[in-house]
Amino acid sequence: MISVIIPTYNSETELVHALSALVPAAAEGVVREVVIVDGGSSDNTGKVADAAGCHWAVLKKSKAERLALGAEIAKRGDWLLFLQPETLLESGWHHEAQAFVERAARAPNGPRTAASFRLRYEAFGPGARLGESVAAFRSQLLGMPYGNQGLLISRQFYQKLGGHRPLPQLEDLDIAKRIGRGRMVFLRAAAVTSGEPQREGLIAGLRQSFARFCVGILRIPARVAIKLHG
């Protein structure tokens, strides 16, 4: 039913946890294959992928181009699930994902719908909780999840949209914008990401936040906002 695509780069530790969360779904036949597209890691990411029986490819290009290649390599699933290596899907996620896919198969516009997960940070403290609240508000208001929330989309719809464009950054918002708020469903299951919301220097952080604001609110094309993002 689902092919999972994960872009990695020196992601040995994160990948172990991410793949562990997929085991129950694979055992029940929901996940049919996992494709790892690596950016040229120097650690044991490849060994982890091999031990887990994943398809393995190397492409020393942007994350967007690695995601697109993974979608081309994946053959067994009619639905594609794009995940970041630092994203750990909470227990039971596949039951909700399977219900979404089955509902989409029955609905007239179902195949032209995508889904994402609720963001949760592993870290304790008010900073992490605030980040989760901001992510929930942004997701529901704009229908634009970030890459660490995962993206579940039918292969047919993904190809119709043109897949991931070869952008150096903001590939997550670019494809979410093309999907559209009305065609994005947010599942109750959480995508748990390590650490806290990223803390950049003041100027860099403001610049990146403004760039994402331009894509999400002002609807500026991602390829233009990249210059602001830095």
Side-chain angles (χ1 to χ4, degrees):
M1 183 182 295
I2 297 175
S3 293
V4 180
I5 296 100
I6 304 177
T8 57
Y9 181 73
N10 288 337
S11 308
E12 173 186 351
T13 302
E14 295 89 348
L15 187 60
V16 170
H17 299 297
L19 293 177
S20 296
L22 302 179
V23 171
E28 295 184 26
V30 177
V31 169
R32 298 295 178 84
E33 63 182 340
V34 179
V35 179
I36 307 295
V37 184
D38 190 71
S41 296
S42 57
D43 63 359
N44 292 317
T45 300
K47 293 182 179 179
V48 172
D50 181 65
C54 303
H55 298 291
W56 172 262
V58 176
L59 181 66
K60 296 180 180 180
K61 292 187 178 181
S62 69
K63 183 187 295 183
E65 291 170 284
R66 281 179 274 148
L67 290 167
L69 177 59
E72 291 180 14
I73 294 173
K75 302 297 183 184
R76 301 188 64 187
D78 292 328
W79 286 75
L80 307 174
L81 175 56
F82 297 97
L83 287 179
Q84 302 301 319
E86 67 272 13
T87 297
L88 174 66
L89 297 179
E90 71 175 359
S91 178
W93 70 270
H94 57 290
H95 297 303
E96 191 176 3
Q98 184 176 16
F100 164 76
V101 169
E102 292 173 352
R103 188 169 70 252
R106 296 189 299 268
N109 63 340
R112 298 184 298 278
T113 305
S116 186
F117 297 91
R118 175 172 56 89
L119 182 65
R120 197 175 79 210
Y121 289 101
E122 281 187 337
F124 297 99
R129 303 292 80 78
L130 177 61
E132 293 169 356
S133 299
V134 171
F137 177 77
R138 180 198 66 240
S139 297
Q140 295 297 330
L141 179 65
L142 304 177
M144 302 187 76
Y146 287 175
N148 55 6
Q149 291 178 247
L151 178 65
L152 178 61
I153 184 171
S154 71
R155 182 188 301 275
Q156 177 186 5
F157 189 28
Y158 180 76
Q159 292 174 345
K160 183 177 181 180
L161 291 172
H164 285 89
R165 292 169 174 166
L167 300 172
Q169 295 181 56
L170 300 180
E171 73 288 334
D172 50 353
L173 297 190
D174 176 67
I175 193 167
K177 179 181 177 182
R178 284 180 282 139
I179 292 170
R181 174 65 186 92
R183 298 185 293 191
M184 181 72 75
V185 174
F186 290 93
L187 307 178
R188 292 185 301 273
V192 184
T193 188
S194 58
E196 295 188 59
Q198 188 173 6
R199 295 182 177 178
E200 305 283 352
L202 178 59
I203 295 178
L206 289 174
R207 185 179 65 241
Q208 293 179 10
S209 296
F210 180 67
R212 290 181 174 269
F213 170 83
C214 288
V215 176
I217 301 294
L218 304 182
R219 317 306 287 179
I220 292 176
R223 63 179 180 275
V224 176
I226 285 172
K227 296 179 181 179
L228 298 172
H229 192 273

